Structures are given as structure tokens and as C-alpha cells.
């Protein structure tokens, strides 16, 4: 079963615009991770934000975490065509269960030139 | 070297065939994973190996048989698969498996088609 739900399912923007996607999860977490997947390829880790952090930046990426609302957002600023991909949030289990990283349904982002 | 290498990239197999998927990492990671991903869906966990021992099997059918010969290698043996097993199979590794406190590194996947 999925831990996270993402919103929107799909997003179409033009180059230079910002893209925001949201992730909601159900149980308590110690961290939340964001991954990118280009069409039919492997996943690339983007950012890991821990439960005691509220915001984290990496280049043009900004991730926020609100544990009271059990939600996270990923903002891509000044988007480029190369940002076209599916973006997934992922959470580990609340208990000490090895390796059960569970992915949300994903947001498909298309950036047009 | 932050790569997870999967071979082959593409595989077409008949329902009576036996084949193997291979995965290799040289990052010293002690946790390795197999995920299955269908089109337009998120990856679904199949197996987790920690310190070369199988720690999680997500009720995967026995026609999928994982093997971890050493800390750098992970295999997935396939036998008598069904057409619905056609999917992208992803291997991943992480430094720490417990509570997933570190990120996972994924390979590029094997696109499997069962005919």
C-alpha cells in the first residue's frame, strides 16, 4: 500500500516557470525523500529532509516539511526542459523495519520550451 | 563511484525460460533492494537484503528468486514468468537499511517483457 499521495498527478509548465508538487503521508516518519525519474529510467535521489527540519534547499530545488500536517512540498524554480520527469516522494516506515521505502504515486512534470 | 549497474537493460523472455537479472554496486552499501515498477506507477518493493541476508520478502511469488552472492552483487533469478510480470525491475542500494536514514541509489533498471 502507498504511504504517500502526491498532488497534482500531472503538471505542465513552460520553461522558466516554477513547479510545485505536494506529498501527503499517513504515519509518522523520521525522514522524507524526493526522487526524480526520467522516462523509463532509474530513480535519482534529489533531497532527504529529516523530521526535525522544516525546509531544505539544493540548487533550484526547495523542499518543505510540515509534520503537523503530514505533508511535504517540492518546488523547482526556473524550470528547464531537462526537468521533464516524474517526481516521487518516499517515506521509510515508522518502525525499525529495514528498507521499506514506500513511494507516493508521483507527479508527472512536463516542461515545454 | 556512485553507480548501481544493472544488466541487461532489456530482456525478452518466454514463459518457460529461465533468466537472471544482475545488479552491482561498489559503494560499500550493505543494503540492496529489488523493486518492480509498472508503467505510470510508483516502484513497489520486492526484496531487501541487508548484510547479504534476505531481510524482507514482500510476498513475492516464488517464480522470482533473489540471491546475494556478496556485498556488491545482487541477482534476481526468473523462472516460469507470466506476461503480467512484464515491468521495469529496479535495483537499489543504500548505506543503511535500518529506518532508511540515508538515500537510496538506483540502477537504470531492466525492462522485462514476458511473451
Amino acid at each position: 500500500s502507498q504511504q504517500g499521495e502526491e498532488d497534482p498527478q500531472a503538471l505542465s509548465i513552460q520553461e522558466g516557470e516554477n513547479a510545485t508538487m505536494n506529498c501527503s503521508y499517513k504515519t509518522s516518519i523520521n525522514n522524507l525523500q524526493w526522487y526524480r525519474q526520467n522516462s523509463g529510467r532509474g530513480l535519482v535521489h534529489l533531497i532527504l529532509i529529516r523530521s526535525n527540519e522544516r525546509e531544505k534547499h539544493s540548487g533550484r530545488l526547495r523542499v518543505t516539511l510540515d509534520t503537523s500536517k503530514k505533508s511535504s512540498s517540492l518546488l523547482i524554480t526556473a524550470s528547464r526542459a531537462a526537468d521533464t520527469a516524474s517526481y516521487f516522494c518516499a517515506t521509510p516506515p515508522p518502525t525499525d523495519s529495514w528498507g521499506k521505502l514506500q513511494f507516493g504515486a508521483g507527479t508527472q512534470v512536463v516542461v515545454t520550451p | 563511484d556512485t553507480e548501481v549497474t544493472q544488466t541487461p537493460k532489456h530482456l525478452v523472455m518466454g514463459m518457460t525460460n529461465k533468466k537472471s537479472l544482475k545488479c552491482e554496486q561498489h559503494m560499500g552499501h550493505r543494503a540492496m533492494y529489488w523493486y518492480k515498477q509498472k508503467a505510470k506507477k510508483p516502484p513497489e518493493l520486492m526484496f531487501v537484503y541487508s548484510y547479504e541476508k534476505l531481510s524482507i520478502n514482500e510476498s513475492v511469488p516464488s517464480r522470482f528468486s533473489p540471491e546475494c552472492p556478496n556485498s556488491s552483487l545482487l541477482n534476481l533469478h526468473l523462472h516460469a514468468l507470466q506476461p503480467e510480470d512484464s515491468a521495469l525491475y529496479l535495483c537499489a542500494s543504500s548505506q543503511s537499511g535500518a529506518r532508511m536514514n540515508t538515500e537510496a541509489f538506483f540502477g537504470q533498471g531492466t525492462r522485462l517483457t514476458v511473451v
Side-chain angles (χ1 to χ4, degrees), chain B residues 47-103:
Chain B
F47 302 104
V48 179
Y49 272 83
S50 60
Y51 292 90
E52 300 160 47
K53 288 187 172 24
L54 183 64
S55 59
I56 295 178
N57 175 344
E58 289 286 272
S59 302
V60 179
S62 60
R63 57 186 184 269
F64 295 91
S65 174
E67 178 197 18
C68 189
N70 60 55
S71 60
S72 299
L73 294 174
L74 187 65
N75 298 322
L76 185 63
H77 302 298
L78 314 172
H79 174 53
L81 294 194
Q82 302 297 309
E84 59 264 30
D85 296 322
S86 299
L88 182 68
Y89 287 84
L90 294 162
C91 174
S93 70
S94 66
Q95 187 174 38
S96 167
R99 307 194 74 186
M100 290 299 294
N101 279 328
T102 58
E103 67 269 35

Side-chain angles (χ1 to χ4, degrees), chain A residues 7 9 13-14 25 35 39 42 44 49 54 57 61 65 73 76-77 87 93 97 102 104 109-111:
Chain A
D7 161 54
Q9 288 186 333
I13 56 174
Q14 292 195 312
Y25 55 92
Y35 289 82
S39 180
V44 174
I49 185 166
R54 291 295 167 260
H57 296 256
L61 305 179
L65 180 64
S73 69
I76 306 172
T77 60
Y87 292 81
S97 184
Q102 292 187 312
V109 175
V110 175
V111 181

Side-chain angles (χ1 to χ4, degrees), chain A residues 38-82:
Chain A
N38 292 91
S39 180
R41 299 176 67 83
L43 282 77
V44 174
H45 177 262
L46 297 176
I47 289 184
L48 183 153
I49 185 166
R50 303 196 187 281
S51 58
N52 61 354
E53 297 174 310
R54 291 295 167 260
E55 189 170 310
K56 206 161 182 181
H57 296 256
S58 177
R60 294 183 295 111
L61 305 179
R62 172 177 168 253
V63 166
T64 62
L65 180 64
D66 187 335
T67 52
S68 67
K69 294 181 179 176
K70 292 189 169 59
S71 69
S72 175
S73 69
L74 170 66
L75 167 68
I76 306 172
T77 60
S79 62
R80 305 167 181 168

